Amino acid sequence: MIAQPPFDRPRLLAFLAGHDIDQNTRDHPAVFRVEEGLELKAAMPGLHTKNLFLKDRKQRLWLISAAQDTVIDLKAAPGLIGSDRLSFGNETLMWETLGVRPGSVTALGLINDVDRRVTFVLDRRLWDADVVNFHPLTNTATTGLDQGAFRQFLSAIGREAQVVSFG
């Protein structure tokens, strides 16, 4: 059995609080796909996200976070992000690197990627949004962060986003 990652939802929220990173987390029924829970999302301000955990032929790992309505063409994406041909990463790799299961992929999972195995790619629309919404390592809640708080989170974990325009 694979060990539990260092951060789960309670530890993530404690980390945010400990770094004075303001957030608003709302519980809701489990959501596995972008199309689910649209009524829940409508009640929360900001852009909601889709998050793709990918690997390329050279075994490099990628996390693409984009606005939920952004179309990401996996055949065109390598030219935008500088990868080889992309495919979806498996559940074991997702758990080992981001500490999440399918349906819960999130940029906040980068807190568990202590070995920096995953390259983080962020859609420009999210980079420019006033508020962004991500799962807090579980798909039974959504955490809203204003842009300053999101950037503060990335800084606190020592990560930068490769910002790309997908649309």
Side-chain angles (χ1 to χ4, degrees):
M1 181 171 176
I2 298 172
Q4 174 73 28
F7 285 89
D8 56 9
R9 176 188 168 173
R11 291 204 52 220
L12 169 69
L13 296 179
F15 175 89
L16 295 174
H19 285 81
D20 295 320
I21 299 172
D22 292 331
Q23 55 82 25
N24 177 21
T25 298
R26 294 186 188 181
D27 293 311
H28 52 68
V31 175
F32 292 91
R33 293 185 321 273
V34 170
E35 302 81 23
E36 295 180 82
L38 293 177
E39 68 285 348
L40 298 168
K41 296 175 186 178
M44 295 184 71
L47 281 181
H48 292 272
T49 58
K50 73 164 88 177
N51 299 274
L52 306 178
F53 179 70
L54 306 164
K55 68 175 184 169
D56 67 18
R57 285 193 308 189
K58 295 180 181 175
Q59 303 305 309
R60 293 182 301 175
L61 303 176
W62 302 83
L63 172 62
I64 297 178
S65 294
Q68 70 180 2
D69 60 349
T70 300
V71 176
I72 299 174
D73 179 348
L74 291 183
K75 291 183 180 179
L80 292 172
I81 68 174
S83 72
D84 205 329
R85 186 171 39 162
L86 295 163
S87 62
F88 287 95
N90 67 44
E91 182 177 356
T92 300
L93 206 48
M94 184 185 304
W95 181 253
E96 288 174 358
T97 56
L98 299 178
V100 296
R101 301 286 185 204
S104 299
V105 178
T106 171
L108 300 178
L110 292 167
I111 197 168
N112 283 318
D113 183 27
V114 295
D115 294 329
R116 305 286 193 268
R117 294 173 60 193
V118 179
T119 299
F120 180 47
V121 179
L122 186 71
D123 182 23
R124 175 151 307 277
R125 287 178 57 206
L126 292 181
W127 186 250
D128 294 338
D130 292 334
V131 176
V132 292
N133 294 289
F134 294 99
H135 287 311
L137 308 179
T138 179
N139 64 355
T140 58
T142 298
T143 296
L145 301 160
D146 69 29
Q147 195 54 244
F150 180 56
R151 292 181 188 187
Q152 188 179 352
F153 166 75
L154 291 175
S155 178
I157 64 169
R159 298 301 293 257
E160 292 184 14
Q162 177 183 338
V163 181
V164 173
S165 293
F166 285 101

